Amino acid sequence: MLTFTVVPRRAIAGAMLSLCVALPASADEFATKPEAEAMVKKTIVFMKANGKDKTYSEINRKDGPFTDRDLYMVAYGFDGVVRAHGANPKMLNKNLMELKDIDGKAFVKERVEMAKKNPSFWQEYKFTNPVSGKIEPKAMYCQPSEDVIICGGVYLR
């Protein structure tokens, strides 16, 4: 014989809410290294077809084609000046060559030096995640194209 217990809807909703809160964030919530590489390549193809000004404008749009979850594009000149930044417009046109992460790593200077020697590369440092607002370890994929370095990174978990 089957026995049924009537449970108020509020109790079910509360139980489901606590279950959702207890579950870890899904992997789909965060960008992956292959997605970062693909986005950098997509940005460079777009830039070659549409020019730098249009590309920078699109990178700067938080709802644009070069932002996806915690993945956004950044364009640097070889002089360390930010040409476009998908997460922080306050960085635009600033020379960040001497900028250091919380461990004292001059990551922009290192990035420019790496871009002079490599057709593409990964670089690790610590940076503020625009989604969490916390400083987290980050891996940035960069590829020089003409006189700029196009980069997109993932926060390491």
Side-chain angles (χ1 to χ4, degrees):
M1 179 167 144
L2 293 172
T3 307
F4 293 97
T5 304
V6 177
V7 179
R9 272 192 254 193
R10 259 184 277 160
I12 293 171
M16 293 195 64
L17 179 61
S18 65
L19 177 64
C20 290
V21 171
L23 292 175
S26 74
D28 292 344
E29 195 174 336
F30 308 109
T32 64
K33 283 186 170 186
E35 288 171 324
E37 289 182 17
M39 183 78 79
V40 167
K41 290 175 182 13
K42 172 183 163 183
T43 304
I44 290 171
V45 167
F46 184 90
M47 186 169 64
K48 288 180 179 179
N50 297 283
K52 290 178 189 161
D53 290 340
K54 173 93 172 137
T55 303
Y56 298 163
S57 177
E58 291 299 312
I59 288 173
N60 291 333
R61 285 183 37 219
K62 288 187 180 187
D63 64 343
F66 303 115
T67 300
D68 180 17
R69 295 162 290 167
D70 59 345
L71 172 61
Y72 56 90
M73 296 295 101
V74 181
Y76 291 91
F78 278 84
D79 57 0
V81 174
V82 177
R83 306 287 195 258
H85 199 294
N88 189 348
K90 292 178 185 173
M91 299 283 202
L92 293 177
N93 301 313
K94 293 196 175 175
N95 187 322
L96 301 182
M97 192 68 90
E98 301 303 320
L99 183 64
K100 295 180 180 175
D101 73 1
I102 61 169
D103 294 332
K105 182 177 192 172
F107 62 92
V108 176
K109 182 182 277 186
E110 178 184 82
R111 183 172 300 154
V112 168
E113 291 305 313
M114 293 173 80
K116 290 176 182 176
K117 300 173 187 167
N118 301 288
S120 63
F121 57 92
W122 280 97
Q123 176 197 34
E124 291 189 12
Y125 62 107
K126 293 181 180 164
F127 200 72
T128 304
N129 182 329
V131 175
S132 72
K134 297 178 182 173
I135 294 173
E136 299 177 9
K138 184 171 187 172
M140 186 76 100
Y141 179 76
C142 299
Q143 186 173 334
S145 180
E146 298 175 26
D147 61 345
V148 295
I149 309 158
I150 303 296
C151 302
V154 297
Y155 292 90
L156 304 173
R157 289 172 173 66

